[in-house]
Amino acid sequence: MNIKAGTELTVCHESVDFFEQSRSERHAIFQEEGVICTCDVCSVPASMEPYIFRNGIFCAFCEENMEITQIPGSCSQCHAEYEVLLEQYTTFISYIVKEIRAKESDPKATQRELAILYGTYNSYLTMHFSEENSLRFAGVLSFVEFLTSNGFLNHASNVLIALHCSYYSYYVDNAKIYSKDIDATFFNQVRQIMERYVDNLTNSSEMDVVYPKKLLTIMLHILKCQEQYMDASIDDNEIYNTFLENYTLYYEWKKIINSYLLMPKSLQEYLKEA
């Protein structure tokens, strides 16, 4: 094949996956191969990359759940446009959220009706938005809040644990993910569940503490991740004080759960009857 001097050559690297690898991991592969990547994704500032992928959606026309992001902005198979699909998806989401709010304010609405709406809401988010998408994150948290408020604490814990695994694993190397807004929302849900669990300790001698212990584990994991980046926020009193408050809550709840585990059965029964 005759190629003229100065012709730009491009190659698809099968060893590189934008959705599974961080920028540092991709660049390490490129460096080994002596490649300088100037694609649309690698050309944006490093600080913007997590936010681009946090807005990923799935193509509605491809059977393989092709993920589309703002950059390059279209499906690599059918070329469906990101902005067009996003508008369709968010329009439906807005409708479902409106229905949920209407039912929540209706005193005649049943728990079953709300459960169906929340199920539809989260199923649609799962089918059309990537795991890291901020809309899916918010939708799952609203579902957790619904479960918690209706006493389904174990189910709420399961959903929250799965959210932690999927959402934080991709961004564990990126300090930008640990914003005070995300933390406040996440810890608020953990707090609501843990407070209900702690209240139930004196009301039920048969309560399973497996889920509270799992929540404590993911709380500690997130706090440890945040601790690595506290130096950058040491002058931000709001972030720093929230961090200390969450650590205090963690140790308080850990003490309560451990005390319950070590408590004699007879004492548990006495506290339940008191």
Side-chain angles (χ1 to χ4, degrees), residues 82-96:
Y82 173 88
E83 294 296 339
V84 174
L85 289 177
L86 182 62
E87 183 177 0
Q88 295 174 3
Y89 296 168
T90 52
T91 297
F92 183 78
I93 289 298
S94 297
Y95 169 76
I96 290 293

Side-chain angles (χ1 to χ4, degrees), residues 41 69 72 78 84 133 175 179 212 225 250-251:
V41 176
T69 56
C78 70
V84 174
N133 192 292
S179 69
C225 290
Y250 164 77
Y251 282 111

